[in-house]
Amino acid sequence: MVQITTEEVLEIDDIRYCLLKSSNVNTAHHYEINQGYTNLNYRATNAFRRDIINTPLINAHKHVVKNNVPELLCDTLISEYNKDKEALKDPAILKSFLPYILTQEVDDHLRSYFKSEYCVLWWAMHKLEDDIEKDTYFSKWHCDGGPKNHLKLITYLNGYDEHGSSTAVLDKESTDKLKDIGYIFNNINKRNIDIAPLCKHYDINFSPSLIKPNKGDSIIFNPHQLAHKAMPANKGKARYSLTLCFLPSELHC
């Protein structure tokens, strides 16, 4: 049932936090019930016939796959992006490089987390520089709006030692508490770069893990279950990454 949302503005250490009460409940209702994702999960798991592995992804909702993508492919994607980033949106491009990303190891983790087959919902390449905190939503602490059961795979096309841009992630317990107070799923334009004071105010453990990838590494994580943010690159540097979003499916992708 949809609940009435009330925005509360809380000021701590000269930082304004906008808390939207009931936003977590309403977001879940919209996707799981109205959009039918709970039913999709049920159909996908019932149709599943393959075996699964005991991946840490299941409990931690995140896992790093080392050396997932060959360095030559990373270099090629960066080069093509810098030539014409619009051309990389062609579905034929996805079809050509997907087999290099969906390795047996990645497939093991994805199907075991979903307990079903899966499909690509969308994909994109990003170039993150030192000024991303000015106007990009993903440089602020957030969870992705969407179904509870979906995964992102982010492949880092150049390494942390080159650009200095990490991905900061909170655990599920802290994320759930941030959802309960109304910070997660508040207005997308009212998110914050620093939520340490907010967490301290509500006695929420704020101990983000920093993922510092090497070239060709991929992180698989559930962006709905874990609060996260992209950290800016060093001055004059850029981080290139390729993101794939996966959903459960009744059919193999």
Side-chain angles (χ1 to χ4, degrees):
M1 180 181 295
V2 176
Q3 299 183 14
I4 297 174
T5 57
T6 303
E7 185 176 85
E8 172 189 346
V9 178
L10 181 65
E11 188 166 320
I12 308 172
D13 298 340
D14 297 325
I15 303 175
R16 289 168 59 89
Y17 297 99
C18 293
L19 310 179
L20 195 60
K21 301 298 183 181
S22 303
S23 56
N24 182 39
V25 173
N26 291 342
T27 298
H29 188 273
H30 172 74
Y31 286 102
E32 301 305 318
I33 306 303
N34 294 349
Q35 299 295 318
Y37 283 104
T38 294
N39 188 38
L40 170 64
N41 289 335
Y42 176 79
R43 298 197 314 270
T45 54
N46 277 353
F48 187 53
R49 296 294 180 266
R50 292 199 285 162
D51 62 343
I52 62 174
I53 66 168
N54 186 25
T55 168
L57 180 64
I58 294 172
N59 293 319
H61 301 284
K62 71 179 190 304
H63 182 67
V64 176
V65 180
K66 294 290 188 179
N67 301 312
N68 181 47
V69 176
E71 290 192 5
L72 180 59
L73 177 58
C74 293
D75 293 338
T76 300
L77 288 171
I78 291 174
S79 176
E80 293 302 315
Y81 180 89
N82 287 331
K83 288 178 185 176
D84 184 0
K85 62 183 179 181
E86 294 301 316
L88 286 176
K89 296 178 181 180
D90 190 316
I93 301 295
L94 174 64
K95 185 177 180 180
S96 67
F97 68 67
L98 196 57
Y100 295 96
I101 296 174
L102 286 180
T103 61
Q104 182 63 59
E105 182 180 1
V106 168
D107 175 65
D108 288 343
H109 293 301
L110 293 178
R111 74 173 189 275
S112 299
Y113 183 86
F114 287 134
K115 295 181 175 61
S116 75
E117 302 297 351
Y118 52 86
C119 63
V120 178
L121 178 63
W122 58 262
W123 67 284
M125 270 193 66
H126 295 101
K127 178 182 179 182
L128 306 185
E129 300 180 89
D130 61 313
D131 60 348
I132 62 168
E133 292 182 338
K134 291 180 180 178
D135 53 14
T136 52
Y137 74 90
F138 46 78
S139 67
K140 282 84 172 176
W141 283 104
H142 70 285
C143 283
D144 291 15
K148 295 179 180 179
N149 197 27
H150 78 277
L151 290 170
K152 273 185 178 177
L153 184 150
I154 302 177
T155 298
Y156 298 87
L157 304 178
N158 56 341
Y160 174 81
D161 59 349
E162 178 181 331
H163 50 68
S165 172
S166 60
T167 298
V169 184
L170 290 180
D171 62 27
K172 188 175 186 302
E173 181 180 357
S174 296
T175 301
D176 286 345
K177 290 179 180 179
L178 286 166
K179 289 178 179 179
D180 290 340
I181 66 171
Y183 173 79
I184 302 293
F185 306 128
N186 64 3
N187 188 304
I188 192 172
N189 297 315
K190 296 180 180 180
R191 294 170 176 168
N192 297 83
I193 294 171
D194 181 11
I195 59 170
L198 177 68
C199 289
K200 183 178 180 180
H201 179 83
Y202 283 102
D203 195 26
I204 298 171
N205 179 39
F206 183 72
S207 301
S209 59
L210 295 178
I211 298 169
K212 301 177 180 180
N214 295 317
K215 183 176 184 176
D217 289 351
S218 294
I219 174 177
I220 309 171
F221 75 110
N222 187 324
H224 183 92
Q225 301 290 355
L226 303 180
H228 56 284
K229 62 173 264 185
M231 305 296 287
N234 293 333
K235 187 70 174 178
K237 301 295 184 178
R239 180 183 104 181
Y240 293 86
S241 59
L242 174 69
T243 301
L244 296 165
C245 181
F246 295 95
L247 286 177
S249 173
E250 297 173 76
L251 302 174
H252 197 280
C253 59

